[in-house]
Amino acid sequence: MSRSRSARRQRSRVNRYLALVLVALAAATLYVGYHRLFQEPEQKPQEDQEADGTLTAPEAEALQSHLERKPYFYTILLSGSDDGNGNSDTNILVAVDAENDYIYGVSIPRDTKAHWNDRAHKINAAFGSGGMELLADVVEDQLGIPVDYTVSVDLTGFVALVNAIGGVDFEVPIDMNYDDPYQDLHIHFSAGMQHLTGEEAVKVVRFRHNNDGSGYGSEDIGRIQTQQNFLKAVAQQTLTVGNLDKIDEFVNIFNTYVDTDLTLGNLAWLGKEAIGMGADAISFSTLPNTWNEQDGYIYLDQAETLTLVNEYLNPYVEDRLAEDLNIPA
């Protein structure tokens, strides 16, 4: 670690996921209990895009420069499902910049248009078709950046985590009144500050519209904002000294409900970094988009998405170019 990076750490304020969702939260507890197992994550190696040797020497050098990675910068794709059909219901691409002390999560709307196998699909179907591997490939193709690691979360683990910290105080944004007897799902909350159990929290983050059709008025985008705000609240209320006695319970929840290619040592390292940054370093946004009511797809705004990628998600030293992204029109 460089002197400047160490100095920044000393100046950092330690004041306060999935919020790296379950990763940052569980990783923080792993750091406390398993601090001797630090293992800095490896960045995903870039595949040789010109293995056939068709590039000239200057072209090959320019390509290598275009793919030079930033130090201590990792991308992690988080996914969870609650729709019952095997597709991913929540997808968040998280950038961890441990050099500049920020964690940035970008929600990918479930109805975002994507292509694989020469057909158009909604991006949440990638998980149902090919698991996290296909979902990561699709995200990489669209955004022009690698996904270093993946995390798949069983939402029953989300319930267990919230219950483990004694529930979460959360400002419910709107009145919620929805009943689905087929799923035995009943969501009834008044707008305002609520203390939510894990079971109640899942209902709040699943809510889309009321029985009469009213609700967010923006399809899935309003729900995404509520999810982001809730994850921030979970981070604030989990990364506290008062939860240190719950380390074993947190670790058990993570081992039971989370599937990831991050090692225990990787999680410990990420947890150390997250604690050093504090929860104020965690931010969220949603990929810029437009919903097309006629075909039901969400279309990403190509120019604005490129700007967001370069500002927050790009693990490369050089900015990505429009031709690096592959966003369906």
Side-chain angles (χ1 to χ4, degrees):
M1 184 179 293
S2 68
R3 291 179 58 125
S4 62
R5 189 162 177 260
S6 176
R8 280 199 304 274
R9 277 286 177 275
Q10 295 172 5
R11 294 195 301 268
S12 294
R13 290 183 302 118
V14 181
N15 45 18
R16 344 187 229 188
Y17 107 168
L18 291 172
L20 198 52
V21 195
L22 292 179
V23 172
L25 304 178
T29 64
L30 285 167
Y31 159 65
V32 178
Y34 299 96
H35 57 279
R36 295 181 181 178
L37 300 178
F38 291 159
Q39 181 184 5
E40 181 184 329
E42 295 182 0
Q43 297 172 331
K44 184 175 182 179
Q46 179 65 39
E47 295 181 3
D48 186 355
Q49 298 181 357
E50 296 294 336
D52 59 4
T54 58
L55 291 182
T56 65
E59 289 173 335
E61 184 177 351
L63 176 61
Q64 183 177 6
S65 175
H66 192 55
L67 300 178
E68 180 185 353
R69 292 285 300 252
K70 299 172 184 175
Y72 308 110
F73 194 113
Y74 309 95
T75 56
I76 304 170
L77 180 61
L78 310 172
S79 183
S81 175
D82 69 16
D83 60 11
N85 63 9
N87 296 334
S88 57
D89 200 59
T90 299
N91 298 301
I92 303 176
L93 182 62
V94 176
V96 180
D97 188 343
E99 177 75 4
N100 296 298
D101 294 342
Y102 78 79
I103 297 171
Y104 197 88
V106 176
S107 295
I108 305 170
R110 49 182 274 154
D111 295 333
T112 299
K113 188 174 184 178
H115 281 108
W116 66 88
N117 294 336
D118 299 321
R119 291 183 56 192
H121 307 264
K122 293 183 177 181
I123 200 168
N124 70 327
F127 182 85
S129 298
M132 288 301 293
E133 183 176 0
L134 177 59
L135 180 61
D137 287 345
V138 172
V139 171
E140 288 181 339
D141 181 55
Q142 286 209 348
L143 301 185
I145 55 177
V147 172
D148 293 321
Y149 295 96
T150 62
V151 177
S152 179
V153 181
D154 185 331
L155 289 190
T156 54
F158 180 77
V159 173
L161 175 66
V162 173
N163 286 336
I165 62 176
V168 172
D169 294 325
F170 183 66
E171 186 84 22
V172 177
I174 60 175
D175 291 336
M176 298 180 176
N177 291 288
Y178 175 77
D179 297 280
D180 183 348
Y182 296 101
Q183 295 187 66
D184 193 24
L185 176 63
H186 305 280
I187 304 175
H188 298 283
F189 297 97
S190 297
M193 182 60 68
Q194 307 274 354
H195 183 77
L196 303 176
T197 65
E199 293 78 7
E200 291 170 336
V202 167
K203 292 181 179 181
V204 168
V205 300
R206 289 185 67 179
F207 175 82
R208 290 191 181 90
H209 59 79
N210 292 308
N211 293 324
D212 63 4
S214 63
Y216 292 120
S218 55
E219 292 304 309
D220 204 41
I221 305 305
R223 187 179 72 136
I224 287 174
Q225 183 64 57
T226 297
Q227 291 175 343
Q228 294 172 351
N229 291 339
F230 186 81
L231 292 173
K232 189 78 171 181
V234 171
Q236 292 171 336
Q237 296 173 54
T238 303
L239 297 176
T240 64
V241 174
N243 283 321
L244 293 182
D245 61 344
K246 300 176 181 177
I247 291 171
D248 290 342
E249 188 174 1
F250 290 163
V251 171
N252 182 61
I253 290 170
F254 191 88
N255 288 335
T256 303
Y257 298 108
V258 176
D259 184 16
T260 180
D261 49 3
L262 287 159
T263 68
L264 182 64
N266 295 154
L267 292 169
W269 190 93
L270 289 168
K272 172 177 65 69
E273 296 299 312
I275 288 175
M277 297 178 201
D280 281 337
I282 301 170
S283 299
F284 286 99
S285 72
T286 301
L287 288 177
N289 66 82
T290 301
W291 180 59
N292 187 318
E293 187 175 2
Q294 292 183 333
D295 62 16
Y297 284 117
I298 284 178
Y299 290 83
L300 299 184
D301 184 290
Q302 300 189 28
E304 291 186 12
T305 296
L306 177 61
T307 298
L308 186 148
V309 165
N310 282 326
E311 187 169 359
Y312 296 110
L313 302 176
N314 181 18
Y316 296 117
V317 173
E318 288 190 2
D319 280 354
R320 295 302 88 190
L321 305 175
E323 54 263 33
D324 294 316
L325 280 62
N326 186 20
I327 296 175

